[in-house]
Amino acid sequence: MLSTQTIGSRSRRFDAPEKALGRERFASDEYPESMLWAGALRAGVPHGLVRGVDTTQARAIPGVVAVLTAEDVPGENRQGFIHWDMPVLCGTKVRHAGDAVALVVAETRQILAEALLAIVLDIEPLPVVDGLDAALAPDAPLIHDLETGNVLKQASLRKGNAQAALARCPVVIEETFFTPQQAHCFLETENGTAYMAEDGTLHMTVSTQAPFRDRFEIGRALGLPPDRLHITAPFLGGGFGGKDGSTVQCLLALAAMHAGGRPVKMWWSREESMLAGYKRHAARMHFRLGAEADGTLTALICDLDYDSGAYAHLGVEIMALGLEHSSGPYRVEHLEANGRCIYTNNPVAGAFRGFGVAQVCFAFEGMMDRLAVRLGMDPLELRLKNAIRQGDKNGVGVVMTGSTGMAECLVGLQDHQFWRSRDEWVQSAPPLTRRGVGISAVYNGMGYGRGLADAAVAKIRLTGDGRFRVYNSVSDMGQGNSPTFVQIVCEVLNQNESQMELVQPDTERSHPSGSSSAGRTTYTYGKALIQACEAMRDKLLHRAAMVLMADEASALSLVPGAVRHTSSGRELPLAVLAGMLHPEDRVCIGEAMMPVTHDMPDGGESFRLGFPHLIFPYAAHLARVEVDELTGLVTVSDYVAFTDGGRVLNPQNFEQQVQGAVAQGLGYALWEDCVAENGQLQTTDFSTYVIPGSGDLPDIESHAVETEEESGPFGMKGIGEVGMNGPLPAVASALLRMGLPMIRAPFTPERVLKVLCGGNS
Amino acid sequence: MLSTQTIGSRSRRFDAPEKALGRERFASDEYPESMLWAGALRAGVPHGLVRGVDTTQARAIPGVVAVLTAEDVPGENRQGFIHWDMPVLCGTKVRHAGDAVALVVAETRQILAEALLAIVLDIEPLPVVDGLDAALAPDAPLIHDLETGNVLKQASLRKGNAQAALARCPVVIEETFFTPQQAHCFLETENGTAYMAEDGTLHMTVSTQAPFRDRFEIGRALGLPPDRLHITAPFLGGGFGGKDGSTVQCLLALAAMHAGGRPVKMWWSREESMLAGYKRHAARMHFRLGAEADGTLTALICDLDYDSGAYAHLGVEIMALGLEHSSGPYRVEHLEANGRCIYTNNPVAGAFRGFGVAQVCFAFEGMMDRLAVRLGMDPLELRLKNAIRQGDKNGVGVVMTGSTGMAECLVGLQDHQFWRSRDEWVQSAPPLTRRGVGISAVYNGMGYGRGLADAAVAKIRLTGDGRFRVYNSVSDMGQGNSPTFVQIVCEVLNQNESQMELVQPDTERSHPSGSSSAGRTTYTYGKALIQACEAMRDKLLHRAAMVLMADEASALSLVPGAVRHTSSGRELPLAVLAGMLHPEDRVCIGEAMMPVTHDMPDGGESFRLGFPHLIFPYAAHLARVEVDELTGLVTVSDYVAFTDGGRVLNPQNFEQQVQGAVAQGLGYALWEDCVAENGQLQTTDFSTYVIPGSGDLPDIESHAVETEEESGPFGMKGIGEVGMNGPLPAVASALLRMGLPMIRAPFTPERVLKVLCGGNS
């Protein structure tokens, strides 16, 4: 562990002033001169054969620069980066109502809207596959021409012999749970600008979580060489997984190829974002859990069905994480986890914070609460008894060699006054109000997992005038990884923030470091950055030794703005030193890869990518919940989260991440649901798709349980996702304690009232 | 220690084919288009006041572009880099016959010669200080206006109490030794070309040992900003220290400043090189050595006088090394070493292989032989008994923490047939011939020593087409450091030489790494290069992991021309990988500094720079010598060298270094002597200054005693100098064994005959 000065302190975020003053430029702030607008015509039909797209009238409108259809797509016309099955523009078939069938480039947004309306679509409707049951029916229409029907991927993981073990268990719990499709609802919807330069390079500024990978996705889809694609990713106004993969990118690039070198802007409206953007997979999860009479967990058999919507995106990998996390952060000796990722004509599902895990945490924690009730055990004691500890094997047989703070988080809750006083609080409920205190214990694998390099390449430059330019190359969606990078550089080089400059990802200035996802950004890039900074420090001390005539670099130290000869106090300003170095010599590049496990359960080999994981952050959440017995309205009045994210680099950022995730998780628990009827989205904007505002949320207390993850930068682990997984099961736990066994989220008043009245949720 | 494949093997030198084919371009091969010639007018007078320099006639000659005098020098007009006391062009005083007083730039070499003859000098002669005695005389004329007279520096080192210890010694030996001024006699005399670009940058290609430092020496002398000086140093046709410091550089730069942007060439003739080039310091050394009756060395008191000639150059630092090495590679408990570096009107002395040490090795080994005779001891046993070993303190109290193979070298000699059969060989001498077998034990501090960074910055580039470009930045004088660098890169990156490109030092392409001197080049730069290569290896494996979808860099390995996924055999050609990397990302820069000691004897602090040293190579030499009793002619019939240079990187290079140094050392012992009479050099060319040809030399057997210097690259130490120090004392040792106590080198027939006839040498 390095000794630290700014690391661990609640320092102001480097990006805060520019953002607070409204000066930070997001992709959507780009309005280049002589700019055109591009927009896509959506199918409107959830499933159908494209008979014709008549663009004649649209083309005739003055100010329309181009009207493009599938025929105009020069490449493979398939988007996606692991399973590429989504057309840029559909030419033969549409598979969900948001499929793009035509692309218009126009002088103004008004002309664009007019031209889109003027395109005449001839689509022959096919029967709509509106959900899992419809997709799995023997005579279900095939959405893609797969031999496996509408099942994109089926897989089973096995550890021990779950069937036999379950048969022997004195206590067996069985239940089926359902989670909804959730929308990311970032403030800044999908957008970007692009132009094709005379040399054939396509320059794009886009709100993306994966600028480096975008080059390959766009390149393949449109037949462009990836090295002629230059992607810049400014700060994002939110991402949460919804910008991990092409949204506007391919359409925008195609538009730019037909814009005669002029810049083109595409910016989806909220409605288009809801219709065509990626969503969290809805899931159906059947669990059978066996335990000993003392509460020791023995065996789990579960069947998970994920609704992938019309296309694959990362559905297979998301299902893999669901299976991987299906037995929760506990020791369970025998596991059989079966999963299916299933095509429907619903909106396309994809990456979302909690990536397949948020779903199973609801289910497994629901099983734990039911088991506690069955055994008459304290639900926290039951969790603590089974909580996974360092050295244990997790559900899929991976030995937890890293920091494992699950028990510490639970102990934190146990000591919290809200837990200790839970009975008094419940008993003092006002009339017609039920109260319950629920808890959840959750975790979330960090990083890509096995099968591909979770790698980063960090760069730092000493500028010609002696400042440090930090090149972030993993998008900052707002989570604050990039100001943390500034903090890391200040720490290792012993500099002040006033000496720092921060550059956001740019494929021509920074180096491939993967996507902003999977709780990996600060971990992987931070490790690489520390290496780059240490190389820079060594370089500067070494070079300064030559100038200051010191025969040992150890006689020197970095101080803000200078190298100091420690004993004599002589200083060489960094601005002077910088002037002596070649530009090439003022750059340090470091690289890092996240470690992987070599443990693998039976069946795990079938996942080429992203399974299993080695390092996990953990969290234990508590919700004080009230239910109005007359309306079924659920109110979360207090919320507490204990989180093990290893060492905390900046308590403020840490807290913000936890609070943001809990807010999103409470939305998932209580309100958010993309409702599609017969494949047509009903929740098209924020009047029907409800996300919590600050008035809907309790204060969210965040406590860090600081373990030391030895592999991590300064001992940290990424907590971008884990906080998302706790609220839904914690609220469900509270409801169960008050006699309301909810199996279907979100817990709307209607559903709760039904259970209050003795029905099922 | 790294495991090795090419390291340690007798691989062909990378530079050999181009040199053998005559295609390598040395500085002297440069004849740029529209080139002018520059030349200096030398004073001719060893000491005098400049009354006038009439350039009128010279200027009038058609084809003369410029005739410059001291008035035209814009800067400080002082050369030198530690003590800068040598004018570029003398304006008021000349201090030796080779001083430059005017500089001509002309269209052709013929016009140049004519113009130099047409300049009229008016110099008022001053009394000539023709040697040490004259310089130290109470009424000696002052060569520089020093308060210390003609003594540039006087210093004393003390360890223990030598006076008292010596007084108690049962055996005391006393003698005075003399060594001559020696010329470097490189094949390629001092030369370069230069031009001033329109942007004010002065570009120079020059035969130099210190291109990076030259910028500062030229810059200060001529008032040019060092960062506007661009120096390129191709392979040198020899250097040996004589190109460590400005030779043509300042004159050439001054000429280029007056050439209207045209390139100018300056190339000293052999005669000009002999007259104006640097020389090895002549020395007078008075030694008193005290020992116990069993041969244990106890105390040394010595007085060393070094003749610096007209200017300081590195005289003070050279004297420091003389004092440091004055007690030989032995344990001597009490030391008092007094030194003086003295100005005379002789040619300027400066750096030369063996840097102050070659002189004292002659003296101290002479003392050892005399002590052996006095005690009736075997001279090898006496040396072995006292030889310094790891953990011992050397003469100036520095603990030998590194590899210390002195005894091993002596044991090597002891087992050699030439030593074991010495009596038979001596007894079988032909008539009128005396025979003797002499030995010497020598060492030589490696690197700069304390007070300045012995540092290097190594660079390697993966080219766009997947080859490796190795940037040497310490001049290769022919010693083969740069092909060894290629070998190192091949080793660390597991590549073949066919993948390699080698670039010689260039201040705009490579990075400051100090001078090619002090046995430091392969050690310091090699360490830095290993670091750069390891960074390159890590980088390439890491980047390839991303492309090959490997989740661990350890799954990959470098093979010639590619990165291979070890288990699957899949390969990513380096040419493909290179195409994916930014140019900036294809460069790795490593740095290294030589470790220093914190031990310091009394009086040592007065040397700011270059004293003391921590790491030493060692050698034991043997010479079988015959003397013709009629003529005094000395012939070395066989020669053996055992050398501890740590681990041997390339046995062929090692052997070449040893053989070259021994040849130069035998020249020093038997022939070479810069004779000046009243300050006028008599040995102006190779008809009067005699260097050995191959017919004059015996076969030279080289044996490596491989110790492991843990601090060194692959365990090596630099042996550029140590081999120079052995021949003179080894030959003297042989002569002493045959009754010829020589105290003055070289051992010319005249001197030997005199001793044969009962006189002193």
Side-chain angles (χ1 to χ4, degrees):
Chain A
M1 200 172 92
L2 299 163
S3 73
T4 60
Q5 294 169 30
T6 72
I7 292 294
S9 74
R10 191 175 282 267
S11 64
R12 190 189 72 180
R13 276 175 63 154
F14 188 78
D15 57 334
E18 290 298 291
K19 284 181 173 172
L21 292 166
R23 288 198 299 227
E24 186 62 57
R25 286 172 70 88
F26 296 79
S28 52
D29 291 319
E30 298 296 325
Y31 287 88
E33 213 167 330
S34 78
M35 185 191 85
L36 299 168
W37 282 90
L41 178 65
R42 303 293 170 180
V45 176
H47 201 191
L49 297 174
V50 180
R51 293 296 179 204
V53 183
D54 184 353
T55 61
T56 322
Q57 293 174 43
R59 284 176 202 275
I61 297 172
V64 169
V65 174
V67 183
L68 307 166
T69 64
E71 289 171 10
D72 300 304
V73 180
E76 296 192 8
N77 193 13
R78 298 189 300 167
Q79 299 173 90
F81 47 95
I82 295 179
H83 311 269
W84 45 99
D85 60 0
M86 184 165 100
V88 179
L89 292 175
C90 296
T92 54
K93 192 176 184 187
V94 296
R95 298 178 181 85
H96 78 115
D99 258 337
V101 282
L103 177 66
V104 173
V105 184
E107 292 286 347
T108 69
R109 216 167 180 176
Q110 289 68 32
I111 297 170
L112 171 64
E114 194 183 336
L116 288 171
L117 285 173
I119 298 171
V120 181
L121 288 186
D122 178 7
I123 297 178
E124 180 189 324
L126 292 171
V128 175
V129 179
D130 66 352
L132 297 171
D133 289 331
L136 296 168
D139 58 347
L142 292 186
I143 296 167
H144 295 268
D145 287 328
L146 290 186
E147 291 183 6
T148 51
N150 288 318
V151 177
L152 166 60
K153 167 90 174 178
Q154 176 156 14
S156 292
L157 301 180
R158 282 182 172 73
K159 185 185 70 168
N161 186 336
Q163 299 282 0
L166 200 70
R168 288 194 303 267
C169 280
V171 187
V172 174
I173 306 285
E174 181 165 2
E175 189 56 274
T176 302
F177 299 88
F178 302 86
T179 55
Q181 216 182 39
Q182 185 182 21
H184 303 83
C185 302
F186 20 69
L187 204 58
E188 182 196 23
T189 51
E190 298 87 342
N191 78 95
T193 54
Y195 71 95
M196 180 68 85
E198 280 184 17
D199 68 357
T201 303
L202 198 145
H203 300 270
M204 183 180 293
T205 300
V206 60
S207 192
T208 178
Q209 291 177 230
F212 289 92
R213 199 187 54 214
D214 283 350
R215 294 172 306 162
F216 296 93
E217 187 170 358
I218 300 168
R220 186 168 45 213
L222 301 183
L224 295 171
D227 61 356
R228 304 313 292 275
L229 288 162
H230 168 211
I231 314 284
T232 310
F235 275 107
L236 277 67
F240 312 114
K243 294 171 181 169
D244 189 11
S246 175
T247 58
V248 298
Q249 286 91 323
C250 296
L251 291 167
L252 186 56
L254 181 62
M257 290 165 76
H258 291 85
R262 290 172 66 184
V264 185
K265 186 179 184 84
M266 174 178 269
W267 190 357
W268 294 358
S269 65
R270 181 63 60 190
E271 290 73 12
E272 189 170 15
S273 175
M274 292 299 284
L275 179 68
Y278 305 111
K279 306 283 178 291
R280 184 192 302 284
H281 291 69
R284 174 173 65 192
M285 302 167 285
H286 176 248
F287 275 61
R288 280 184 292 157
L289 175 65
E292 305 301 322
D294 66 354
T296 303
L297 304 181
T298 305
L300 175 69
I301 298 174
C302 66
D303 300 283
L304 312 181
D305 286 334
Y306 284 89
D307 181 350
S308 191
Y311 298 105
H313 198 266
L314 288 168
V316 173
E317 294 66 37
I318 286 164
M319 177 185 78
L321 265 81
L323 296 173
E324 183 179 8
H325 292 76
S326 60
S327 59
Y330 305 108
R331 290 183 303 280
V332 181
E333 201 175 335
H334 302 276
L335 175 81
E336 178 186 322
N338 309 301
R340 289 183 292 192
C341 188
I342 297 161
Y343 284 127
T344 67
N345 293 126
N346 286 327
V348 186
F352 198 140
R353 193 184 213 174
F355 201 86
V357 183
Q359 293 92 327
V360 294
C361 282
F362 170 47
F364 197 84
E365 288 298 282
M367 300 304 284
M368 291 299 276
D369 282 319
R370 283 157 179 76
L371 180 62
V373 170
R374 175 85 65 88
L375 296 172
M377 276 185 79
D378 177 295
L380 201 155
E381 286 293 349
L382 177 66
R383 285 170 168 87
L384 199 49
K385 177 185 183 71
N386 290 286
I388 197 164
R389 291 160 200 261
Q390 195 162 27
D392 285 344
K393 284 185 179 172
N394 73 359
V396 292
V398 172
V399 178
M400 297 291 93
T401 54
S403 81
T404 310
M406 186 66 260
E408 290 86 336
C409 289
L410 284 165
V411 167
L413 269 195
Q414 199 166 35
D415 293 342
H416 194 278
Q417 55 153 330
F418 287 168
W419 185 249
R420 292 201 317 260
S421 66
R422 63 190 181 282
D423 292 340
E424 299 90 298
W425 187 76
V426 167
Q427 284 151 21
S428 60
L432 298 177
T433 299
R434 292 196 198 178
R435 280 180 167 179
V437 178
I439 58 167
S440 61
V442 296
Y443 66 153
N444 205 108
M446 179 178 69
Y448 291 157
R450 291 228 55 173
L452 71 171
D454 193 318
V457 182
K459 183 166 90 174
I460 176 172
R461 181 188 303 280
L462 176 68
T463 65
D465 58 352
R467 296 159 58 78
F468 292 98
R469 189 172 300 145
V470 187
Y471 293 82
N472 175 26
S473 54
V474 278
S475 300
D476 191 330
M477 306 182 274
Q479 76 263 50
N481 53 322
S482 67
T484 302
F485 299 155
V486 172
Q487 213 184 340
I488 287 174
V489 176
C490 288
E491 176 73 35
V492 181
L493 298 178
N494 192 27
Q495 300 296 306
N496 298 328
E497 282 197 351
S498 59
Q499 267 104 29
M500 299 291 143
E501 299 174 11
L502 175 59
V503 173
Q504 293 303 323
D506 181 323
T507 58
E508 289 192 354
R509 300 178 77 189
S510 47
H511 302 288
S513 297
S515 54
S516 184
S517 63
R520 63 179 291 279
T521 59
T522 304
Y523 180 96
T524 309
Y525 194 85
K527 280 183 79 155
L529 185 60
I530 288 174
Q531 197 188 78
C533 288
E534 290 178 343
M536 179 63 81
R537 183 187 61 200
D538 292 349
K539 180 193 289 275
L540 296 179
L541 296 182
H542 182 274
R543 300 293 191 288
M546 288 168 135
V547 179
L548 292 169
M549 302 280 273
D551 53 19
E552 291 179 295
S554 59
L556 306 175
S557 56
L558 274 163
V559 295
V563 177
R564 179 180 291 163
H565 187 258
T566 314
S567 60
S568 70
R570 282 184 301 146
E571 286 192 0
L572 177 67
L574 291 177
V576 175
L577 182 55
M580 295 175 173
L581 301 180
H582 288 187
E584 191 176 65
D585 198 22
R586 291 193 264 100
V587 174
C588 284
I589 294 175
E591 46 250 337
M593 280 172 78
M594 197 180 291
V596 293
T597 177
H598 288 262
D599 301 328
M600 183 68 80
D602 286 349
E605 315 79 20
S606 84
F607 295 111
R608 277 195 314 118
L609 301 174
F611 174 87
H613 293 76
L614 175 62
I615 303 169
F616 296 79
Y618 297 86
H621 288 194
L622 175 149
R624 298 217 287 197
V625 178
E626 291 184 336
V627 172
D628 182 320
E629 294 183 333
L630 296 180
T631 62
L633 182 72
V634 178
T635 306
V636 178
S637 36
D638 300 283
Y639 205 91
V640 180
F642 283 82
T643 309
D644 161 26
R647 191 155 173 225
V648 176
L649 304 192
N650 184 330
Q652 180 178 287
N653 278 24
F654 186 92
E655 191 174 283
Q656 286 170 350
Q657 274 279 33
V658 170
Q659 289 173 334
V662 167
Q664 205 159 27
L666 288 173
Y668 190 44
L670 298 180
W671 296 284
E672 300 185 44
D673 193 356
C674 293
V675 177
E677 286 182 6
N678 201 29
Q680 294 287 7
L681 191 68
Q682 305 299 304
T683 49
T684 57
D685 60 26
F686 290 157
S687 68
T688 45
Y689 186 91
V690 179
I691 56 173
S694 58
D696 302 313
L697 294 169
D699 275 349
I700 300 163
E701 250 186 63
S702 166
H703 299 274
V705 171
E706 291 203 70
T707 61
E708 173 78 19
E709 171 52 45
E710 283 182 15
S711 73
F714 300 101
M716 70 79 73
K717 298 188 282 194
I719 57 151
E721 303 195 281
V722 68
M724 175 74 217
N725 302 335
L728 173 54
V731 173
S733 169
L735 294 173
L736 186 73
R737 301 303 288 177
M738 50 181 110
L740 302 172
M742 305 299 296
I743 59 168
R744 192 181 295 270
F747 310 138
T748 58
E750 295 81 356
R751 287 179 180 156
V752 174
L753 198 57
K754 202 168 152 199
V755 177
L756 273 167
C757 299
N760 290 325
S761 79
Chain B
M1 198 174 90
L2 300 163
S3 74
T4 59
Q5 294 170 28
T6 72
I7 291 294
S9 74
R10 189 176 283 267
S11 64
R12 191 189 70 183
R13 277 176 62 154
F14 188 78
D15 57 335
E18 289 299 290
K19 285 180 171 171
L21 292 166
R23 289 198 298 227
E24 187 61 57
R25 287 172 69 89
F26 296 79
S28 51
D29 290 319
E30 298 295 326
Y31 287 88
E33 213 166 331
S34 77
M35 185 191 85
L36 298 168
W37 281 90
L41 179 65
R42 303 292 170 179
V45 176
H47 202 191
L49 298 173
V50 179
R51 294 297 179 203
V53 181
D54 183 353
T55 61
T56 322
Q57 294 173 41
R59 285 176 201 275
I61 297 173
V64 169
V65 174
V67 182
L68 307 166
T69 64
E71 290 171 8
D72 300 305
V73 180
E76 295 192 8
N77 194 11
R78 296 190 299 166
Q79 298 173 90
F81 47 95
I82 295 180
H83 313 270
W84 45 99
D85 60 0
M86 184 164 99
V88 179
L89 292 174
C90 296
T92 54
K93 192 176 183 186
V94 296
R95 296 177 181 85
H96 78 117
D99 258 337
V101 283
L103 176 66
V104 173
V105 184
E107 292 285 348
T108 69
R109 215 166 182 177
Q110 290 68 32
I111 297 170
L112 171 64
E114 196 185 335
L116 287 171
L117 285 172
I119 298 170
V120 182
L121 288 186
D122 177 8
I123 297 179
E124 181 189 325
L126 293 170
V128 176
V129 179
D130 67 353
L132 296 171
D133 288 331
L136 296 168
D139 58 348
L142 290 186
I143 296 168
H144 294 266
D145 287 329
L146 291 185
E147 291 184 6
T148 51
N150 287 319
V151 177
L152 166 60
K153 168 87 175 179
Q154 176 156 13
S156 292
L157 302 180
R158 282 184 173 71
K159 184 185 73 169
N161 186 336
Q163 298 283 357
L166 199 71
R168 288 194 302 266
C169 280
V171 187
V172 174
I173 307 287
E174 180 163 6
E175 190 55 274
T176 302
F177 299 88
F178 302 87
T179 56
Q181 216 183 37
Q182 185 183 21
H184 303 83
C185 302
F186 20 68
L187 203 58
E188 181 196 24
T189 52
E190 296 87 342
N191 79 93
T193 54
Y195 71 96
M196 181 67 86
E198 280 184 17
D199 68 356
T201 303
L202 197 146
H203 300 270
M204 184 179 294
T205 300
V206 60
S207 192
T208 178
Q209 291 176 230
F212 288 91
R213 198 187 56 214
D214 283 350
R215 294 172 305 162
F216 295 93
E217 187 170 359
I218 300 167
R220 185 168 48 213
L222 301 183
L224 296 171
D227 61 357
R228 304 314 293 273
L229 288 162
H230 168 211
I231 314 283
T232 310
F235 275 106
L236 278 66
F240 313 114
K243 294 171 181 170
D244 190 13
S246 175
T247 58
V248 299
Q249 285 90 323
C250 296
L251 291 167
L252 186 56
L254 182 60
M257 291 164 77
H258 292 84
R262 291 172 64 185
V264 186
K265 187 179 185 82
M266 174 177 270
W267 190 357
W268 293 359
S269 66
R270 182 63 59 189
E271 290 73 12
E272 189 169 15
S273 175
M274 291 300 285
L275 179 67
Y278 305 112
K279 307 284 179 291
R280 185 192 300 285
H281 290 70
R284 175 174 64 193
M285 302 166 285
H286 176 246
F287 274 63
R288 280 186 292 158
L289 176 65
E292 304 302 321
D294 67 354
T296 303
L297 304 180
T298 304
L300 174 70
I301 298 174
C302 66
D303 301 282
L304 312 181
D305 286 336
Y306 284 89
D307 180 350
S308 192
Y311 297 105
H313 197 265
L314 288 168
V316 173
E317 292 67 37
I318 287 164
M319 178 184 80
L321 265 82
L323 297 173
E324 182 180 10
H325 292 75
S326 60
S327 58
Y330 305 109
R331 292 183 302 280
V332 180
E333 200 175 336
H334 302 276
L335 175 81
E336 178 185 325
N338 309 300
R340 289 183 291 192
C341 188
I342 297 160
Y343 284 127
T344 67
N345 293 125
N346 287 327
V348 186
F352 197 141
R353 192 183 214 174
F355 202 85
V357 184
Q359 293 92 326
V360 295
C361 282
F362 170 47
F364 197 84
E365 287 297 283
M367 300 304 283
M368 290 298 276
D369 282 319
R370 283 159 178 75
L371 180 62
V373 170
R374 174 86 65 89
L375 296 172
M377 275 184 79
D378 176 298
L380 201 154
E381 287 291 348
L382 178 66
R383 285 171 167 88
L384 199 49
K385 179 185 181 71
N386 290 285
I388 196 165
R389 289 159 202 261
Q390 194 163 28
D392 285 345
K393 284 186 179 172
N394 74 359
V396 293
V398 173
V399 179
M400 298 291 92
T401 54
S403 82
T404 310
M406 187 68 261
E408 290 86 336
C409 289
L410 284 165
V411 168
L413 269 194
Q414 198 167 35
D415 294 342
H416 194 278
Q417 56 152 329
F418 287 167
W419 184 250
R420 292 201 317 260
S421 66
R422 63 192 182 281
D423 292 340
E424 299 89 299
W425 186 76
V426 167
Q427 283 152 21
S428 61
L432 298 177
T433 300
R434 291 196 198 177
R435 281 181 165 177
V437 177
I439 57 168
S440 61
V442 297
Y443 66 154
N444 204 111
M446 180 179 70
Y448 291 157
R450 291 228 55 170
L452 71 170
D454 192 317
V457 182
K459 182 166 89 173
I460 176 172
R461 181 189 302 279
L462 176 68
T463 65
D465 59 353
R467 296 159 58 77
F468 291 99
R469 190 172 298 145
V470 187
Y471 292 81
N472 175 27
S473 55
V474 278
S475 301
D476 191 330
M477 306 182 273
Q479 75 265 47
N481 53 322
S482 66
T484 302
F485 298 155
V486 172
Q487 215 183 337
I488 288 174
V489 176
C490 288
E491 177 73 35
V492 181
L493 297 178
N494 192 28
Q495 299 296 305
N496 299 327
E497 282 197 351
S498 58
Q499 267 104 29
M500 298 291 143
E501 298 173 12
L502 175 60
V503 173
Q504 294 302 323
D506 180 323
T507 58
E508 290 193 352
R509 301 178 77 189
S510 47
H511 302 288
S513 297
S515 53
S516 184
S517 64
R520 65 179 291 277
T521 58
T522 304
Y523 179 96
T524 309
Y525 193 85
K527 280 182 79 155
L529 185 60
I530 289 174
Q531 197 187 79
C533 288
E534 290 177 342
M536 179 63 82
R537 184 187 58 201
D538 293 349
K539 179 194 289 277
L540 295 179
L541 296 182
H542 182 275
R543 299 294 191 288
M546 289 168 136
V547 179
L548 292 169
M549 304 278 275
D551 52 20
E552 292 179 296
S554 60
L556 305 176
S557 57
L558 274 165
V559 295
V563 177
R564 179 180 291 164
H565 187 258
T566 314
S567 61
S568 70
R570 281 184 302 146
E571 287 193 358
L572 177 67
L574 291 176
V576 175
L577 181 55
M580 295 174 173
L581 301 180
H582 288 188
E584 192 177 65
D585 197 22
R586 290 193 266 102
V587 174
C588 283
I589 294 175
E591 46 249 338
M593 279 173 78
M594 197 181 292
V596 295
T597 176
H598 288 262
D599 302 327
M600 184 66 82
D602 286 350
E605 314 79 20
S606 83
F607 295 111
R608 276 195 314 118
L609 301 174
F611 175 88
H613 292 76
L614 175 61
I615 303 170
F616 296 79
Y618 297 86
H621 287 193
L622 174 150
R624 297 217 288 198
V625 178
E626 291 184 337
V627 172
D628 183 323
E629 293 185 330
L630 296 180
T631 63
L633 182 72
V634 178
T635 305
V636 178
S637 35
D638 301 281
Y639 204 91
V640 179
F642 282 81
T643 309
D644 162 26
R647 190 154 174 226
V648 177
L649 304 192
N650 184 330
Q652 180 179 285
N653 278 25
F654 186 91
E655 192 174 283
Q656 285 169 352
Q657 274 279 34
V658 170
Q659 289 173 334
V662 168
Q664 204 159 28
L666 288 172
Y668 191 44
L670 298 180
W671 297 283
E672 300 185 43
D673 194 355
C674 292
V675 177
E677 286 183 5
N678 203 29
Q680 295 286 5
L681 191 67
Q682 305 299 304
T683 49
T684 58
D685 60 24
F686 290 156
S687 70
T688 45
Y689 185 91
V690 179
I691 57 172
S694 58
D696 302 313
L697 295 169
D699 276 350
I700 299 163
E701 250 186 62
S702 166
H703 300 273
V705 171
E706 291 201 69
T707 61
E708 172 80 20
E709 172 51 44
E710 283 182 14
S711 73
F714 300 100
M716 70 80 73
K717 298 188 283 194
I719 58 152
E721 304 195 282
V722 68
M724 175 74 216
N725 303 336
L728 174 53
V731 173
S733 169
L735 293 172
L736 186 73
R737 299 305 288 180
M738 51 180 110
L740 303 172
M742 305 300 296
I743 59 167
R744 191 180 295 270
F747 309 138
T748 58
E750 294 80 354
R751 287 179 179 155
V752 174
L753 198 58
K754 202 169 152 199
V755 178
L756 273 167
C757 298
N760 292 324
S761 79

